[in-house]
PDB file of all heavy atoms in Angstrom:
ATOM      1  N   PRO A 211      86.885 106.560  99.880  1.00  0.00           N
ATOM      2  CA  PRO A 211      87.141 107.565  98.845  1.00  0.00           C
ATOM      3  C   PRO A 211      86.874 107.026  97.441  1.00  0.00           C
ATOM      4  O   PRO A 211      87.062 105.841  97.167  1.00  0.00           O
ATOM      5  CB  PRO A 211      88.628 107.897  99.042  1.00  0.00           C
ATOM      6  CG  PRO A 211      89.201 106.672  99.682  1.00  0.00           C
ATOM      7  CD  PRO A 211      88.120 106.107 100.550  1.00  0.00           C
ATOM      8  N   LEU A 212      86.437 107.910  96.560  1.00  0.00           N
ATOM      9  CA  LEU A 212      86.239 107.569  95.148  1.00  0.00           C
ATOM     10  C   LEU A 212      86.277 108.854  94.343  1.00  0.00           C
ATOM     11  O   LEU A 212      85.597 109.823  94.679  1.00  0.00           O
ATOM     12  CB  LEU A 212      84.907 106.844  94.937  1.00  0.00           C
ATOM     13  CG  LEU A 212      84.697 106.268  93.534  1.00  0.00           C
ATOM     14  CD1 LEU A 212      85.708 105.156  93.244  1.00  0.00           C
ATOM     15  CD2 LEU A 212      83.282 105.719  93.380  1.00  0.00           C
ATOM     16  N   GLN A 213      87.070 108.840  93.274  1.00  0.00           N
ATOM     17  CA  GLN A 213      87.243 110.024  92.435  1.00  0.00           C
ATOM     18  C   GLN A 213      87.122 109.646  90.966  1.00  0.00           C
ATOM     19  O   GLN A 213      87.166 108.476  90.607  1.00  0.00           O
ATOM     20  CB  GLN A 213      88.605 110.661  92.729  1.00  0.00           C
ATOM     21  CG  GLN A 213      88.734 111.118  94.175  1.00  0.00           C
ATOM     22  CD  GLN A 213      90.127 111.556  94.545  1.00  0.00           C
ATOM     23  OE1 GLN A 213      91.109 110.905  94.168  1.00  0.00           O
ATOM     24  NE2 GLN A 213      90.250 112.647  95.270  1.00  0.00           N
ATOM     25  N   PHE A 214      86.968 110.676  90.129  1.00  0.00           N
ATOM     26  CA  PHE A 214      86.847 110.395  88.693  1.00  0.00           C
ATOM     27  C   PHE A 214      87.496 111.507  87.889  1.00  0.00           C
ATOM     28  O   PHE A 214      87.682 112.632  88.355  1.00  0.00           O
ATOM     29  CB  PHE A 214      85.376 110.223  88.299  1.00  0.00           C
ATOM     30  CG  PHE A 214      84.554 111.486  88.278  1.00  0.00           C
ATOM     31  CD1 PHE A 214      84.305 112.155  87.089  1.00  0.00           C
ATOM     32  CD2 PHE A 214      84.016 112.009  89.450  1.00  0.00           C
ATOM     33  CE1 PHE A 214      83.544 113.316  87.064  1.00  0.00           C
ATOM     34  CE2 PHE A 214      83.247 113.160  89.448  1.00  0.00           C
ATOM     35  CZ  PHE A 214      83.012 113.822  88.254  1.00  0.00           C
ATOM     36  N   VAL A 215      87.846 111.147  86.652  1.00  0.00           N
ATOM     37  CA  VAL A 215      88.368 112.115  85.698  1.00  0.00           C
ATOM     38  C   VAL A 215      87.694 111.844  84.355  1.00  0.00           C
ATOM     39  O   VAL A 215      87.483 110.688  83.973  1.00  0.00           O
ATOM     40  CB  VAL A 215      89.913 112.026  85.587  1.00  0.00           C
ATOM     41  CG1 VAL A 215      90.367 110.679  85.024  1.00  0.00           C
ATOM     42  CG2 VAL A 215      90.467 113.158  84.747  1.00  0.00           C
ATOM     43  N   GLU A 216      87.336 112.908  83.661  1.00  0.00           N
ATOM     44  CA  GLU A 216      86.704 112.796  82.347  1.00  0.00           C
ATOM     45  C   GLU A 216      87.698 113.209  81.268  1.00  0.00           C
ATOM     46  O   GLU A 216      88.459 114.162  81.440  1.00  0.00           O
ATOM     47  CB  GLU A 216      85.461 113.685  82.291  1.00  0.00           C
ATOM     48  CG  GLU A 216      84.389 113.279  83.287  1.00  0.00           C
ATOM     49  CD  GLU A 216      83.221 114.233  83.315  1.00  0.00           C
ATOM     50  OE1 GLU A 216      83.425 115.365  83.808  1.00  0.00           O
ATOM     51  OE2 GLU A 216      82.126 113.864  82.854  1.00  0.00           O
ATOM     52  N   ARG A 217      87.672 112.486  80.154  1.00  0.00           N
ATOM     53  CA  ARG A 217      88.582 112.754  79.047  1.00  0.00           C
ATOM     54  C   ARG A 217      87.772 112.982  77.782  1.00  0.00           C
ATOM     55  O   ARG A 217      87.038 112.106  77.341  1.00  0.00           O
ATOM     56  CB  ARG A 217      89.544 111.581  78.855  1.00  0.00           C
ATOM     57  CG  ARG A 217      90.461 111.339  80.055  1.00  0.00           C
ATOM     58  CD  ARG A 217      91.233 110.045  79.940  1.00  0.00           C
ATOM     59  NE  ARG A 217      92.116 109.846  81.095  1.00  0.00           N
ATOM     60  CZ  ARG A 217      92.705 108.706  81.402  1.00  0.00           C
ATOM     61  NH1 ARG A 217      92.514 107.637  80.631  1.00  0.00           N
ATOM     62  NH2 ARG A 217      93.478 108.614  82.471  1.00  0.00           N
ATOM     63  N   ASP A 218      87.936 114.151  77.189  1.00  0.00           N
ATOM     64  CA  ASP A 218      87.272 114.509  75.930  1.00  0.00           C
ATOM     65  C   ASP A 218      88.329 114.643  74.848  1.00  0.00           C
ATOM     66  O   ASP A 218      89.295 115.389  75.004  1.00  0.00           O
ATOM     67  CB  ASP A 218      86.504 115.827  76.066  1.00  0.00           C
ATOM     68  CG  ASP A 218      85.186 115.657  76.799  1.00  0.00           C
ATOM     69  OD1 ASP A 218      84.373 114.835  76.350  1.00  0.00           O
ATOM     70  OD2 ASP A 218      84.979 116.336  77.825  1.00  0.00           O
ATOM     71  N   GLY A 219      88.136 113.921  73.752  1.00  0.00           N
ATOM     72  CA  GLY A 219      89.075 113.998  72.655  1.00  0.00           C
ATOM     73  C   GLY A 219      90.273 113.091  72.855  1.00  0.00           C
ATOM     74  O   GLY A 219      90.485 112.519  73.920  1.00  0.00           O
ATOM     75  N   VAL A 220      91.064 112.964  71.801  1.00  0.00           N
ATOM     76  CA  VAL A 220      92.233 112.082  71.795  1.00  0.00           C
ATOM     77  C   VAL A 220      93.463 112.888  72.170  1.00  0.00           C
ATOM     78  O   VAL A 220      93.759 113.925  71.571  1.00  0.00           O
ATOM     79  CB  VAL A 220      92.422 111.433  70.408  1.00  0.00           C
ATOM     80  CG1 VAL A 220      93.637 110.526  70.411  1.00  0.00           C
ATOM     81  CG2 VAL A 220      91.175 110.651  70.023  1.00  0.00           C
ATOM     82  N   HIS A 221      94.190 112.410  73.179  1.00  0.00           N
ATOM     83  CA  HIS A 221      95.398 113.094  73.643  1.00  0.00           C
ATOM     84  C   HIS A 221      96.510 112.068  73.838  1.00  0.00           C
ATOM     85  O   HIS A 221      96.249 110.887  74.086  1.00  0.00           O
ATOM     86  CB  HIS A 221      95.131 113.818  74.964  1.00  0.00           C
ATOM     87  CG  HIS A 221      94.017 114.812  74.905  1.00  0.00           C
ATOM     88  ND1 HIS A 221      94.150 116.059  74.349  1.00  0.00           N
ATOM     89  CD2 HIS A 221      92.724 114.714  75.317  1.00  0.00           C
ATOM     90  CE1 HIS A 221      93.009 116.704  74.438  1.00  0.00           C
ATOM     91  NE2 HIS A 221      92.122 115.909  75.019  1.00  0.00           N
ATOM     92  N   ASP A 222      97.742 112.541  73.749  1.00  0.00           N
ATOM     93  CA  ASP A 222      98.874 111.663  74.033  1.00  0.00           C
ATOM     94  C   ASP A 222      98.932 111.376  75.530  1.00  0.00           C
ATOM     95  O   ASP A 222      98.706 112.263  76.355  1.00  0.00           O
ATOM     96  CB  ASP A 222     100.184 112.319  73.581  1.00  0.00           C
ATOM     97  CG  ASP A 222     100.299 112.414  72.072  1.00  0.00           C
ATOM     98  OD1 ASP A 222      99.576 111.674  71.386  1.00  0.00           O
ATOM     99  OD2 ASP A 222     101.099 113.245  71.597  1.00  0.00           O
ATOM    100  N   CYS A 223      99.263 110.147  75.875  1.00  0.00           N
ATOM    101  CA  CYS A 223      99.368 109.727  77.270  1.00  0.00           C
ATOM    102  C   CYS A 223     100.546 110.426  77.944  1.00  0.00           C
ATOM    103  O   CYS A 223     101.626 110.542  77.362  1.00  0.00           O
ATOM    104  CB  CYS A 223      99.548 108.216  77.321  1.00  0.00           C
ATOM    105  SG  CYS A 223      99.974 107.567  78.945  1.00  0.00           S
ATOM    106  N   GLU A 224     100.353 110.900  79.183  1.00  0.00           N
ATOM    107  CA  GLU A 224     101.432 111.567  79.909  1.00  0.00           C
ATOM    108  C   GLU A 224     102.551 110.608  80.300  1.00  0.00           C
ATOM    109  O   GLU A 224     103.656 111.045  80.627  1.00  0.00           O
ATOM    110  CB  GLU A 224     100.890 112.245  81.170  1.00  0.00           C
ATOM    111  CG  GLU A 224     100.373 111.283  82.228  1.00  0.00           C
ATOM    112  CD  GLU A 224      99.932 111.974  83.512  1.00  0.00           C
ATOM    113  OE1 GLU A 224      99.306 113.044  83.440  1.00  0.00           O
ATOM    114  OE2 GLU A 224     100.220 111.428  84.589  1.00  0.00           O
ATOM    115  N   ILE A 225     102.272 109.296  80.264  1.00  0.00           N
ATOM    116  CA  ILE A 225     103.281 108.308  80.662  1.00  0.00           C
ATOM    117  C   ILE A 225     104.123 107.872  79.469  1.00  0.00           C
ATOM    118  O   ILE A 225     105.349 107.972  79.480  1.00  0.00           O
ATOM    119  CB  ILE A 225     102.618 107.075  81.304  1.00  0.00           C
ATOM    120  CG1 ILE A 225     101.695 107.500  82.452  1.00  0.00           C
ATOM    121  CG2 ILE A 225     103.675 106.090  81.783  1.00  0.00           C
ATOM    122  CD1 ILE A 225     102.377 108.249  83.556  1.00  0.00           C
TER     123      ILE A 225
END
Side-chain angles (χ1 to χ4, degrees):
L212 188 65
Q213 299 171 317
F214 72 99
V215 64
E216 297 175 290
R217 297 170 179 166
D218 282 304
V220 180
H221 303 282
D222 291 341
C223 170
E224 67 176 41
I225 307 301

